[in-house]
Amino acid sequence: MITELRLINFKCFARQTIELKPLTVLAGLNGMGKSTVIQSLLVLRQSFLEGHLKQGLLCNAGNIIDLGTLRDAHFEFAKTSLLGIAIKSDDLPINKRGFKFSVPKLDQEIENRFPNSNKTTLRTYQESSSIANLLGITKQESQPLSFQYLKAERNGPRKFLPKSNSISENLDLGSSGEYVFHFLDYFQDRIQLSENDPRLVEASSLRLRDQLSGWLDDISPGASLSITPVTDADLMLGGYAFSEPGKVSTRNYRSTNVGFGLSYVLPVIVSLLSAKAGSLLIIENPEAHLHPKGQTKLGELCARAAAAGVQIIIETHSDHFMDGARIAVHDALLNHEDVCFNYFRKKDYKTIVSTPKIDSSGRLSEWPEGFFDQHRRNAAKLMKPRTV
């Protein structure tokens, strides 16, 4: 598991250490640096997959993420040309964990090499399973979703979704969730949860197909998904039906006639149910377009997945999602020491991170100003006498 991320002169951070747990929640106002944390991890993955990291290069613009030039990613008020990203892992018992890059001046040729060659760092990272998953280092035995990134701008309702050319090898949902129908068509009967998996809900079997139906019913009562391959066109059609206890189910409706919520949350649920222990999931705004009950259930599912051994990093603006995770701790579904809430705010153009501790009852040690406190502020305004 990745336990710590350290950033030096990276975007809005001068020098910052960020604690990571099995379930890490990144919260704060817009533009405070939450996405920067995720981007720092993604740019390392991109750099490795493109073959640049082995040469001491940072691939700051590519298919996974585009940070612009390296100078765009350099902290505006930095006093040195150093840009650093360091990762600490619980299965990496040595000190060499950092990548250091030198940022060129405006009048210099664009070059972003290590100050000194550091091949030992890469060899060491390959020995860490969690960091190997992040970087995309090939393992002898692949597993479903050893790494998955789902960005905030996911696919909304579509009449159809594409098929992946190599889904059986890469086992990926796509960063926009664009391969979720194909993934389910291929794995819904191949993936089966164990009998003691914390993610299990009451369903007709342990298969991904039926567990997904159970969680969909929790988040959107009565909803069920059907998938139809269009082989000749390399497309996948998806539809939703709805039912009530004791009544006949409706016909299947196109995704475009159902709304955004189910389409947006489907790849999130699939990723959380499909990932095996040791996997790493990074998900932005999983609660998007969901009602408060659904957001709370999603927080619970993330906690259950973390209890199953999956490391999850979540960026969210939802207090309902956070409450779902806290309730899961309260109900002993996840150990309180395995949850981390990082709150981001700015002062003097620098981002500051606060990390309230959570106890076994789900209570927080502190409630920083601006940390999911808008409901309390609104309620206080509503309780004041109205001025005429």
Side-chain angles (χ1 to χ4, degrees):
M1 184 184 72
I2 301 175
T3 58
E4 185 178 283
L5 174 66
R6 185 172 299 173
L7 302 177
I8 302 174
N9 292 333
F10 186 75
K11 295 191 70 174
C12 60
F13 293 103
R15 186 177 291 268
Q16 182 67 55
T17 299
I18 294 131
E19 184 180 3
L20 301 177
K21 296 278 191 174
L23 175 57
T24 302
V25 178
L26 312 177
L29 299 178
N30 300 103
M32 295 294 111
K34 304 183 301 298
S35 296
T36 297
V37 172
I38 291 173
Q39 290 169 353
S40 69
L41 297 172
L42 295 180
V43 76
L44 288 183
R45 177 178 175 84
Q46 177 170 271
S47 300
F48 183 87
L49 294 178
E50 294 293 331
H52 293 190
L53 206 57
K54 293 179 180 179
Q55 305 172 43
L57 298 170
L58 191 68
C59 182
N60 37 286
N63 293 327
I64 298 177
I65 187 171
D66 187 352
L67 298 178
T69 68
L70 196 64
R71 292 195 75 257
D72 291 328
H74 194 225
F75 178 55
E76 182 177 2
F77 305 102
K79 297 179 180 179
T80 69
S81 63
L82 173 67
L83 186 153
I85 304 174
I87 302 174
K88 183 178 179 182
S89 173
D90 58 1
D91 55 0
L92 191 62
I94 69 167
N95 295 323
K96 293 183 178 179
R97 304 181 178 105
F99 295 104
K100 297 179 180 179
F101 304 91
S102 180
V103 181
K105 296 180 180 179
L106 281 172
D107 57 351
Q108 290 180 329
E109 181 182 354
I110 298 300
E111 185 179 13
N112 50 346
R113 296 186 179 276
F114 287 117
N116 298 299
S117 179
N118 196 350
K119 295 181 180 179
T120 303
T121 300
L122 284 172
R123 287 202 301 269
T124 301
Y125 278 171
Q126 294 185 52
E127 297 171 6
S128 167
S129 59
S130 54
I131 299 178
N133 287 340
L134 169 65
L135 296 181
I137 297 173
T138 303
K139 294 291 185 180
Q140 291 182 351
E141 295 183 6
S142 61
Q143 63 181 30
L145 297 185
S146 59
F147 175 88
Q148 178 65 51
Y149 165 58
L150 289 173
K151 59 185 180 182
E153 190 181 2
R154 297 188 289 278
N155 278 348
R158 300 287 192 272
K159 290 182 179 179
F160 52 82
L161 291 175
K163 294 181 69 174
S164 170
N165 292 327
S166 56
I167 193 166
S168 61
E169 299 174 4
N170 295 337
L171 312 172
D172 197 330
L173 295 170
S175 61
S176 298
E178 64 268 29
Y179 302 129
V180 65
F181 288 165
H182 190 193
F183 183 96
L184 281 171
D185 184 60
Y186 188 86
F187 289 111
Q188 60 186 353
D189 294 321
R190 287 179 168 89
I191 294 177
Q192 181 167 303
L193 277 64
S194 65
E195 293 183 354
N196 59 350
D197 195 297
R199 295 167 288 187
L200 284 179
V201 291
E202 186 175 346
S204 57
S205 81
L206 304 177
R207 296 178 303 173
L208 174 60
R209 171 204 298 268
D210 297 312
Q211 290 300 311
L212 173 63
S213 295
W215 278 101
L216 276 178
D217 185 62
D218 261 350
I219 290 173
S220 181
S224 60
L225 172 70
S226 64
I227 300 170
T228 305
V230 184
T231 306
D232 292 341
D234 290 331
L235 298 175
M236 306 295 299
L237 302 180
Y240 294 92
F242 298 88
S243 62
E244 296 181 20
K247 295 185 179 180
V248 177
S249 176
T250 68
R251 61 178 174 84
N252 279 326
Y253 296 102
R254 291 184 179 185
S255 298
T256 49
N257 291 332
V258 172
F260 273 76
L262 286 172
S263 294
Y264 250 65
V265 78
L266 180 63
V268 175
I269 299 175
V270 172
S271 67
L272 291 167
L273 291 176
S274 302
K276 291 187 177 181
S279 301
L280 173 62
L281 305 183
I282 301 175
I283 306 175
E284 296 175 340
N285 302 119
E287 77 281 356
H289 302 291
L290 280 184
H291 58 89
K293 178 184 176 182
Q295 295 177 31
T296 303
K297 293 299 293 185
L298 204 56
E300 177 189 328
L301 176 55
C302 284
R304 288 175 177 269
V310 182
Q311 183 167 21
I312 306 162
I313 300 174
I314 297 290
E315 179 189 1
T316 182
H317 294 282
S318 171
D319 50 350
H320 302 297
F321 177 92
M322 183 188 70
D323 287 346
R326 293 173 61 203
I327 292 170
V329 170
H330 176 275
D331 293 345
L333 298 174
L334 179 65
N335 191 299
H336 69 99
E337 295 182 349
D338 291 335
V339 186
C340 180
F341 295 108
N342 288 314
Y343 173 62
F344 295 70
R345 59 188 176 89
K346 279 190 177 179
K347 182 179 181 181
D348 297 330
Y349 301 104
K350 294 181 182 179
T351 295
I352 300 172
V353 182
S354 302
T355 306
K357 301 301 180 184
I358 183 172
D359 65 17
S360 58
S361 297
R363 294 188 294 260
L364 297 179
S365 60
E366 59 176 314
W367 208 274
E369 184 178 357
F371 180 69
F372 291 125
D373 61 357
Q374 195 59 43
H375 177 75
R376 175 177 56 80
R377 291 172 180 269
N378 293 344
K381 289 181 179 180
L382 289 170
M383 291 177 66
K384 288 182 179 180
R386 188 174 64 174
T387 57
V388 180

